[in-house]
Amino acid sequence: MSKILLINSSVRRTDSISRKVTGEFVAKWQARNPGTIVVERDVAAQPLPHLTEQTLGAFFTPADQRTAEQAEIAKLSESLVQELFDADVIVIGAPMYNFSITSGLKAWIDHVARAGVTFKYGESGPVGLLTGKKVYIFTATGGVYSSGPAQSMDFLGTYLRTVLGFIGLTDITFVHSEGLAMGEVGVEKALAQTSETINELLPA
């Protein structure tokens, strides 16, 4: 029995393309893999606190040496990290805001990219500890950034591939829904292409 961790980050509750396509993917996965457990973490509907000096202090204090206050502060991060370790598959809805990820998704990353927890430093440099997991990232962009003249402005994909790889999540597949600001025809074309890609990833 597999477990999916679904992370949605769009601030839009309605008409969100990234939510629509992650939902389609997860539904088709469940249809093909009955019994799959899905855990959803909605970092827009339930925003995570941004890091503070107190948060960092709790992170860098060994668990058995934390004060009661530090233990309480670290509790949220510990639960987010555990969700990652428990998951077999991670599905992320990542709309592009100002050429990068949403602040909500960045806050989630800040809580799970933990030295000594999800990565460590070895003799040859950093080593990611979240291994053996598959990641699917569904992007949603107004323009076209996967290729062409705007490709250099895509800091979303390059950042996610880098930071997730740093914690050991290196098996990543990106699915792009692009050209969403190019009218209704553009949206229909993008959704059709994304559905086709999902069917290719999850053959019947």
Side-chain angles (χ1 to χ4, degrees):
M1 184 181 297
S2 61
K3 179 177 285 189
I4 293 177
L5 174 61
L6 170 61
I7 301 165
N8 273 312
S9 63
S10 173
V11 301
R12 299 171 69 185
R13 298 296 300 166
T14 58
D15 299 324
S16 167
I17 297 299
S18 63
R19 290 180 184 276
K20 179 179 178 64
V21 295
T22 56
E24 178 182 348
F25 179 84
V26 170
K28 288 182 176 178
W29 180 290
Q30 289 179 299
R32 290 159 174 74
N33 302 277
T36 297
I37 298 171
V38 179
V39 174
E40 183 173 3
R41 174 65 64 171
D42 193 327
V43 298
Q46 297 176 315
L48 303 172
H50 292 292
L51 298 187
T52 64
E53 183 177 6
Q54 291 72 28
T55 310
L56 290 179
F59 286 175
F60 288 107
T61 301
D64 60 353
Q65 298 177 27
R66 289 173 183 154
T67 65
E69 181 183 11
Q70 287 177 322
E72 184 64 27
I73 289 172
K75 186 183 297 184
L76 173 59
S77 173
E78 302 292 347
S79 66
L80 296 172
V81 167
Q82 193 59 54
E83 288 176 350
L84 276 173
F85 275 107
D86 290 344
D88 303 297
V89 177
I90 299 151
V91 179
I92 301 175
M96 178 184 282
Y97 287 13
N98 299 317
F99 308 111
S100 189
I101 61 175
T102 67
S103 61
L105 186 55
K106 178 59 166 62
W108 176 81
I109 289 169
D110 287 341
H111 279 278
V112 301
R114 299 268 308 278
V117 180
T118 54
F119 70 91
K120 64 180 181 179
Y121 291 102
E123 294 181 358
S124 301
V127 179
L129 302 178
L130 284 161
T131 58
K133 302 177 187 299
K134 177 62 184 177
V135 181
Y136 296 92
I137 299 177
F138 290 84
T139 71
T141 61
V144 176
Y145 295 89
S146 63
S147 62
Q151 188 173 17
S152 64
M153 293 185 282
D154 175 18
F155 301 102
L156 181 155
T158 53
Y159 174 71
L160 286 178
R161 188 178 294 280
T162 299
V163 72
L164 294 178
F166 197 83
I167 61 177
L169 300 172
T170 57
D171 187 0
I172 301 174
T173 296
F174 281 89
V175 180
H176 303 294
S177 297
E178 302 183 287
L180 300 173
M182 300 178 182
E184 186 175 336
V185 173
V187 173
E188 292 177 355
K189 180 181 178 181
L191 288 176
Q193 290 177 337
T194 299
S195 290
E196 183 178 345
T197 300
I198 290 173
N199 290 333
E200 292 172 354
L201 292 171
L202 301 174

